[in-house]
Amino acid sequence: MNKKLVEYFNKYDFTFSKNYAYGKIKDYEVNIFYQALDNVAPVKIYISFYASENEKNQMIADLNEQKIKFLQYSFDGIGALFGLNDITLNGLLKKLDNIIETIFDIIIKNNGKNSLYCPMCGEEFDDESKVYKVNDCNFKLHKKCGSEIAEAFEEEYKEYKELPNNYGKGFLGALIGAVVGVVSYVIIFFVGFISSISSFISILLGSFLYKKFGGKPNYMMIIMTSVLTVASLILTVYLLYNVAALGLVITEDPNTQMTAGEAFKYMMQNADFAAEYRSNMGMTILFTLIGAGYETYALYKGVFKKRQVK
């Protein structure tokens, strides 16, 4: 956890573990996450409480009226997740007291039940109630409510396992994404730039179409989209220079019988041509791996994983 966030939340007597904190604010159970690389909401606060659907809808309406800059929120069956951001972390910390005060005032005003009550059913806790680890969060729940979540996760995982893989259809989607990535690369290349944009486009579109065509969103999707992206863009550079080499050879000798591959081998003996090819190939590999690596990590985080209750 960031030192400044630790200092701030220490006044609430939280327990900290890496980029996570757990404790209470105004007698409401709270989970806090910090993800420095998240440029949308690096600080996330999950507040557990029970409220009826009408009460939650009114909370949302009240929050909308506040128009708190950068604030994001979503409500579910255990409470609400709030995403916070600002230009800098220091800027956020200066506003955090007011933001937290506003959020809790709205929850309390609209009858959100505090940590004395199970956030799932709204009943007071009994002796069998305990803190469950649900994915990355800690929630105190009735034993029955904890079992219901575990059963729901099992059913969700069972449905996912029964989905057909459809590797062929998924591959077609990934291939289309790679082709679009190649087209964008060629356009950008002839403008005079080499960037990671094409690999972003290839993997994003490829993974979208992989799922759209019926492919199962699993690790095979990541492998197909990333390998096709890297291989297709490297092959594109090679073919572009084959064509360029043939053009240069024809300029020197219009009657040449060389193929593009033979012309490439011949032109690679030219120091300037070889240097340019190696430079552009090296930059392409570098930027492609950067883009592919970032998007592959994003896909990995988004791949279905069995949710756990402990």
Side-chain angles (χ1 to χ4, degrees), residues 79-229:
L81 177 65
F82 298 87
L84 309 175
N85 199 4
D86 209 309
I87 304 301
T88 64
L89 181 58
N90 284 334
L92 175 60
L93 289 170
K94 290 176 182 177
K95 302 174 183 177
L96 205 46
D97 279 338
N98 288 333
I99 293 173
I100 288 176
E101 195 69 27
T102 299
I103 289 172
F104 278 98
D105 282 349
I106 289 172
I107 292 172
I108 293 168
K109 183 184 78 171
N110 290 288
N111 304 315
K113 292 187 176 182
N114 63 19
S115 61
L116 295 176
Y117 302 86
C118 176
M120 273 192 67
C121 65
E123 300 297 323
E124 284 192 76
F125 286 122
D126 54 32
D127 293 339
E128 291 189 327
S129 302
K130 67 174 185 176
V131 175
Y132 291 83
K133 187 172 182 63
V134 182
N135 293 330
D136 297 322
C137 285
N138 287 308
F139 300 116
K140 187 173 182 181
L141 302 168
H142 279 139
K143 184 177 180 180
K144 180 182 177 182
C145 293
S147 297
E148 286 179 2
I149 294 177
E151 289 170 7
F153 286 175
E154 284 293 336
E155 185 62 28
E156 177 186 61
Y157 183 66
K158 181 181 177 183
E159 290 176 2
Y160 169 77
K161 292 287 285 184
E162 290 174 353
L163 287 174
N165 288 308
N166 289 335
Y167 290 136
K169 294 179 180 179
F171 178 82
L172 180 59
L175 184 61
I176 293 173
V179 170
V180 174
V182 165
V183 172
S184 69
Y185 177 89
V186 172
I187 294 171
I188 295 169
F189 181 84
F190 281 112
V191 172
F193 295 96
I194 293 176
S195 74
S196 58
I197 293 174
S198 298
S199 57
F200 278 104
I201 293 171
S202 177
I203 293 181
L204 275 174
L205 181 61
S207 59
F208 171 77
L209 292 177
Y210 186 98
K211 291 180 283 188
K212 196 72 175 176
F213 286 13
K216 191 173 181 177
N218 54 18
Y219 294 109
M220 185 56 71
M221 177 187 71
I222 297 176
I223 294 170
M224 281 191 188
T225 53
S226 57
V227 169
L228 277 173
T229 293

Side-chain angles (χ1 to χ4, degrees), residues 3 13 22 31 65 103 107 116 157 162 173 181 233 240 250 270 272 291 298:
K3 289 182 180 179
D13 193 28
Y22 174 72
N31 290 266
E65 286 182 4
I103 289 172
I107 292 172
L116 295 176
Y157 183 66
E162 290 174 353
L233 293 181
L240 283 173
I250 290 174
N270 181 294
D272 291 338

Side-chain angles (χ1 to χ4, degrees), residues 240-257:
L240 283 173
Y241 273 89
N242 271 249
V243 173
L246 183 59
L248 290 170
V249 170
I250 290 174
T251 301
E252 291 179 5
D253 179 9
N255 298 316
T256 184
Q257 297 299 310

